[in-house]
Structure formats: structure tokens, C-alpha cells
Amino acid sequence: MQKKVYLLAVSIATLLASCSKESKKINPQANPIAVKIQQLVPENQTGFVSASGTIESENSANLSTRMMGYVTSVHAKVGQKVSKGQLLVSINTTDLLAKKAQVEAAILQANAAFNNAKKDYERFTTLFAQQSASQKEVDDMTSRYEMAKAGLEAAKQQRNEVQAQFSYANITAPFAGEVTNTFVKPGDMANPGMPLVSIEGAHHFQVTARVSESDISLITSGMKATAVVKSSQQSIPATVIEVSGSAKNTGSQYLVKLNLAQVPSSVRSGMFVHVVFPIAQKESTAASNPTKILVPKSALITQGQLTGIYILSDKNTAILRWLRIGKTYGSQVEVLSGLSANETYIVRAQGKLFTGAAVKVYDFN
């Protein structure tokens, strides 16, 4: 019995010693983690309306032809920079060349008939003045002359029509830009209205955003906004230029177009953006909802369906606080609950944080 009591005492002593060593090992005060902090500043003067959008070129076109024929060559590739008037696609013009030859022959024939009718008209007009021709003969010559003149004009207009068709056989760039797609290759049959090449302007960009019906009344033409590129988090100043008045064909989402200014070279057409519209609140609205807490998305911690953030305690330790988040405004997220005004949270850390970890405030970049 005494032996068992002795062994139990030894085990307890060993366990206490190991726990003491372990507590020393994980002592959060041993190696403080350098962190960058930021204090919450409630937004009580302005509100925000957020919408998703897509960057697109201000000038874009799908080029097609009005004639039918085989594509002989495609002179442009996807991604190629082209200048205004540059040849992009050529279509076989054998039929047009034959028709042009027929029209030229018709013009020669009509011109000969016109010259003959003109001479007869002038001769009979002179004879009539000398009372050597009747009025009917003069009328007949006048009618013949006018018909020959109309025939010659019709033949010339046919030549203009053929020449216009040649412009649709050689598809050129309507403006300087970049080829974004080619829909045909040599040997394909080009049909009237069928897209052959798509091209977009390379310099001027705009954003088409979709705004919900609850927020569209707050958006007006000419107001300033900020477009945040989702892939790179770059912020670009924008100005509203068009506000749609109907959502009949857009699923209760109203289209808003914005012009972009100072677009970085890395931004391309088709990129997705968050558009943030700053909205001035009325006094009654500000009184009923005086604060809006926004934190950067980069400071949030996600574990499954939970979202949290580390705050700084009075003892300079990190504490994980779970949040309920709301709308996204560009690179920031609205916090509906879990944080209060003027609390300090950790934006960045040089190490892995955990609840109770000692931290040292350091303003690093």
C-alpha cells in the first residue's frame, strides 16, 4: 500500500514538473510578434453604394461584310495591334471583277447612245429654229436625248455600286486598337452580317456596373466613384457617364457606365472590378445609422464559414474576435457586429498569430 502511494506521488510530481516546463515553453510573453495596428474610425459622414462591374473598351466593333464569298486571307492575329485603315481580312472578288467589267461595257454603250442622241437633238433643234423640222420631230429627239442621258447616269451608278462592294471585300480597321478575336480562316465562306474579326480600342476604357434597384436612385450622371480591380486591388478614379432607366432585360439590375481615368498599363478589357460610389447621407439618415465600421479584407481571418479579426488587448496580446460582416466596398468590408468604434485591430503580423500571443506594435511596410 505504501509503495502504491509512493508511486502515485512520484507520478504527480513528474506531471507537475512537465506542465511547468510546457507552460514555460509556450509562454506568450517570451517572443512578442511584431504587428501593425489600426484603430477603427466609424464612417458617419458618408455612405457607400457598391456594385460589381466589368472593364471594357470604349471603342469596340465586330467587323463583317455585306457580300458573300470565300475568305482568301486573314491579315491579323489575336492580340495584334493595328492602326486605323489597316487591312484585316480579304475576300475573293472574282465575281465583282466580272460584274465590274460588265458595268464598264454598259457605260461605253450608254455613252455612245447618249452622244448620238445629243447630236440628233442639237441638229433638230437647229432645224426647228429654221422652220425645217416639225414640233413632233423635235419632241421625239428631246425624249430620245433625255432617255439616253438617264441610261448613261444609271450605268455610272451601277459602277459606283460595284466599287462600293469592293470596300466590303477588303475589311479594314475602323480605328486604332487591338484584335481580340478572329472568327474565320482562309477558305471559309463569308456571309453577309457574319462577324469576321473583333477589334477593341487600346487606350480608352470604361466600366459597366450593375446596381441594385434599392441603390440606383442614389446614382447620378457625373458623380465620382472608384473602381477597384479584383485581381490586383488597384484603385482607379471613375466618373458616371450613363445611368440606365430600365432593368427590363438585366434581371432587376440597372446598368451604369463609368469612364476611367489614369488606367494602369496592367489593366485589360474584361477584368472584373468593384465600383464604390460615395453617397452623401441626409441628417435624418445619419442620426438613425450614425456609424459604419469598415475594415480591410486583408486583415480578416477565415476559418470555414467563420470570419474573424485579431484585436489588440490592453496587455499587448492578440485576441481573435469573430465577426458578422456585411457589404463589400472595394478593398474594405463592413462589420455588422463583433467590433465597436475606436477598437484597435491588427492589420499585419510578422509571424503566426493566436489568441493570447504577445505582440509588439511596429509600423512596418
Side-chain angles (χ1 to χ4, degrees):
M1 182 67 181
Q2 293 179 352
K3 185 176 180 181
K4 291 182 178 180
V5 172
Y6 173 77
L7 293 174
L8 180 60
V10 171
S11 299
I12 292 174
T14 303
L15 180 61
L16 291 175
S18 63
C19 290
S20 178
K21 293 180 180 178
E22 185 67 21
S23 63
K24 292 180 180 179
K25 182 178 179 181
I26 62 173
N27 183 8
Q29 304 299 330
N31 297 307
I33 301 173
V35 297
K36 181 179 181 180
I37 62 172
Q38 186 170 327
Q39 190 174 20
L40 285 173
V41 179
E43 298 285 345
N44 56 2
Q45 299 297 325
T46 59
F48 298 91
V49 169
S50 179
S52 296
T54 307
I55 295 177
E56 58 187 26
S57 177
E58 185 177 352
N59 294 325
S60 62
N62 290 327
L63 306 182
S64 59
T65 180
R66 289 178 55 185
M67 62 176 293
M68 180 180 292
Y70 288 102
V71 176
T72 57
S73 58
V74 178
H75 306 280
K77 297 181 180 179
V78 175
Q80 179 180 341
K81 304 290 184 181
V82 295
S83 57
K84 182 178 180 180
Q86 183 173 335
L87 182 62
L88 303 179
V89 178
S90 296
I91 300 174
N92 186 282
T93 58
T94 303
D95 294 343
L96 282 180
L97 291 173
K99 188 174 182 180
K100 182 181 179 182
Q102 293 175 358
V103 169
E104 293 293 344
I107 290 176
L108 292 176
Q109 183 178 358
N111 191 51
F114 170 75
N115 291 333
N116 188 29
K118 183 179 179 181
K119 291 178 180 179
D120 290 342
Y121 168 74
E122 292 174 347
R123 182 168 57 252
F124 273 86
T125 301
T126 302
L127 291 174
F128 180 76
Q130 298 173 355
Q131 297 183 353
S132 298
S134 65
Q135 181 66 46
K136 184 179 183 307
E137 291 175 324
V138 173
D139 292 342
D140 290 342
M141 291 300 106
T142 302
S143 177
R144 180 185 171 192
Y145 169 69
E146 293 295 338
M147 291 177 62
K149 183 178 179 181
L152 177 60
E153 183 63 25
K156 289 181 178 180
Q157 292 301 325
Q158 288 180 352
R159 180 173 60 186
N160 292 337
E161 180 183 359
V162 172
Q163 290 177 345
Q165 291 292 328
F166 274 102
S167 65
Y168 295 104
N170 295 313
I171 308 302
T172 59
F175 48 80
E178 179 179 340
V179 176
T180 57
N181 202 352
T182 57
F183 303 98
V184 292
K185 59 184 181 296
D188 288 345
M189 175 65 73
N191 294 307
M194 181 184 74
L196 304 177
V197 177
S198 62
I199 182 175
E200 291 187 354
H203 301 291
H204 302 287
F205 291 100
Q206 61 185 16
V207 169
T208 298
R210 295 175 178 266
V211 180
S212 64
E213 60 183 25
S214 60
D215 295 328
I216 189 61
S217 60
L218 303 174
I219 310 300
T220 58
S221 180
M223 72 183 302
K224 303 298 181 180
T226 301
V228 181
V229 183
K230 291 184 178 181
S231 60
S232 61
Q233 294 300 312
Q234 292 176 297
S235 297
I236 306 173
T239 304
V240 177
I241 57 173
E242 293 182 15
V243 180
S244 174
S246 173
K248 180 179 179 181
N249 300 319
T250 53
S252 299
Q253 298 288 311
Y254 292 82
L255 298 182
V256 176
K257 285 190 176 182
L258 306 96
N259 265 345
L260 297 179
Q262 302 174 357
V263 180
S265 59
S266 59
V267 173
R268 297 175 179 269
S269 178
M271 288 186 172
F272 293 100
V273 295
H274 280 300
V275 182
V276 181
F277 303 89
I279 307 298
Q281 293 183 339
K282 299 180 180 180
E283 293 182 0
S284 59
T285 305
S288 61
N289 186 20
T291 60
K292 183 187 294 292
I293 298 177
L294 301 176
V295 298
K297 290 191 292 186
S298 58
L300 297 179
I301 305 298
T302 303
Q303 294 184 7
Q305 300 296 325
L306 300 177
T307 302
I309 196 171
Y310 281 103
I311 65 171
L312 183 66
S313 70
D314 296 337
K315 298 180 180 180
N316 284 337
T317 59
I319 299 177
L320 180 59
R321 183 81 61 81
W322 298 114
L323 310 174
R324 185 164 69 92
I325 61 176
K327 294 183 178 180
T328 298
Y329 302 98
S331 61
Q332 293 185 311
V333 177
E334 179 184 8
V335 177
L336 301 178
S337 63
L339 286 179
S340 58
N342 300 320
E343 279 194 294
T344 302
Y345 61 93
I346 297 174
V347 179
R348 183 179 173 187
Q350 289 185 336
K352 186 175 181 180
L353 293 175
F354 55 91
T355 299
V359 297
K360 179 180 179 182
V361 178
Y362 181 69
D363 190 11
F364 53 85
N365 295 323

